[in-house]
Amino acid sequence: MTCDEADILLHALIDGELDAGHAREVENHVAACKRCTADLKAYREMKAAVTTADVRFTAPSHLRQRIEAAIPRSRGTSRRSLLAGFAMGSVVSAIAATGLVAIVLRDDDERRIASEVVSAHLRSLQAGHLTDVLSTDQHTVKPWFNGRLDVSPPVIDLTALGFTLIGGRLDYIDGRAIGAVVYKRRAHVINLFVAQTPNATHSAARTEDIQGFNIRRWRDHGLSLWAVSDLNADELAEFSEKFEKAMQANGNG
Ligand SMILES: [Zn+2]
């Protein structure tokens, strides 16, 4: 395990999100590495400081009275209408939940979706958000998606080809849950977002630059794929070419 890999896992370790095997791997690395020992200590101290900091503030009662006096008394907000509101809320939640399996994205607004893809990439880089399932084994990552998505994304181990499989996660693009497969090239994270598309035609990959990130998108086997990274355009193209080739060889992942 390299320091870069360990660094991603340290946060998960602190938050108790690692399985025993991965936790042991990280701990073994930390035991032998001064830099990661120092990082782990710093992360633990930061977490402890945030946990113990008294950030709750109780407003004085005169402030509460002034606010209550300033708000007009609402008429007719009975407990019943409140409960009806909650019931409606749970209907909406239920509909949103069924959205989890409907991962067909429209292609009409490509620019907006591309910028959502970049936002999702940025979100994923925040500590603890990169992977829901952390594994370098495609036979662990692939089944993890089954049951969470109608169509689980092709998970292809490209480690031997220079792109390390890190894991996968559920993400949200265009208000829908889709699968993201996570790779690393040196210190660069590559998020590969995969969604079903009603458009079955194959479209060749092309790269664009959005907000300083390279985003490479293509369509294949009824899937829309976006690879996003701060990796340079040439290497990201290399990634998508190797992925496409492997996908063909694997018979669609
Ligand atoms: Zn280290």
Side-chain angles (χ1 to χ4, degrees):
M1 176 174 294
T2 66
C3 290
D4 284 337
E5 287 164 347
D7 192 53
I8 293 180
L9 301 176
L10 286 179
H11 297 281
L13 179 72
I14 293 173
D15 293 334
E17 290 167 349
L18 292 185
D19 60 62
H22 281 101
R24 200 167 336 108
E25 276 181 49
V26 181
E27 281 161 359
N28 286 345
H29 174 87
V30 169
C33 175
K34 267 193 185 150
R35 189 182 121 190
C36 290
T37 302
D39 284 349
L40 180 61
K41 183 162 175 280
Y43 296 151
R44 283 215 163 106
E45 282 167 2
M46 184 166 68
K47 184 174 177 171
V50 171
T51 315
T52 55
D54 188 8
V55 291
R56 196 179 280 270
F57 173 74
T58 307
S61 63
H62 60 84
L63 178 60
R64 184 192 173 89
Q65 283 158 12
R66 268 172 51 206
I67 291 172
E68 282 178 351
I71 299 172
R73 280 232 167 270
S74 61
R75 288 171 299 115
T77 308
S78 65
R79 180 173 294 180
R80 178 171 301 182
S81 66
L82 270 178
L83 285 173
F86 282 125
M88 182 58 84
S90 60
V91 169
V92 173
S93 312
I95 292 168
T98 61
L100 279 174
V101 292
I103 56 161
V104 177
L105 296 182
R106 300 180 310 276
D107 274 331
D108 50 2
D109 203 345
E110 292 189 10
R111 189 80 198 167
R112 181 178 53 80
I113 289 178
S115 104
E116 282 198 31
V117 162
V118 171
S119 302
H121 176 72
L122 282 170
R123 270 200 312 275
S124 79
L125 299 179
Q126 291 165 18
H129 288 79
L130 191 57
T131 53
D132 291 330
V133 56
L134 183 73
S135 173
T136 54
D137 182 357
Q138 60 186 341
H139 304 294
T140 304
V141 178
K142 172 91 179 164
W144 181 87
F145 281 112
N146 295 337
R148 289 179 169 85
L149 292 169
D150 239 8
V151 175
S152 74
V155 178
I156 300 174
D157 187 359
L158 298 174
T159 306
L161 299 172
F163 299 93
T164 312
L165 177 67
I166 298 285
R169 92 179 165 275
L170 280 191
D171 215 314
Y172 295 86
I173 304 287
D174 200 26
R176 296 162 199 274
I178 73 168
V181 187
V182 187
Y183 294 87
K184 262 191 124 182
R185 170 86 148 189
R186 299 187 303 278
H188 305 277
V189 169
I190 302 167
N191 269 295
L192 178 67
F193 297 94
V194 186
Q196 219 177 359
T197 171
N199 190 336
T201 57
H202 176 274
S203 81
R206 59 171 197 274
T207 305
E208 51 185 325
D209 178 312
I210 295 180
Q211 298 164 36
F213 291 92
N214 282 316
I215 166 166
R216 190 162 175 85
R217 64 160 303 173
W218 70 99
R219 265 200 303 264
D220 200 9
H221 288 91
L223 300 172
S224 269
L225 302 101
W226 299 261
V228 199
S229 183
D230 62 348
L231 195 61
N232 65 68
D234 285 347
E235 284 182 285
L236 193 62
E238 184 192 335
F239 169 79
S240 77
E241 278 153 22
K242 285 180 171 167
F243 186 92
E244 273 198 281
K245 237 180 226 156
M247 193 162 142
Q248 248 118 49
N250 283 14
N252 197 3

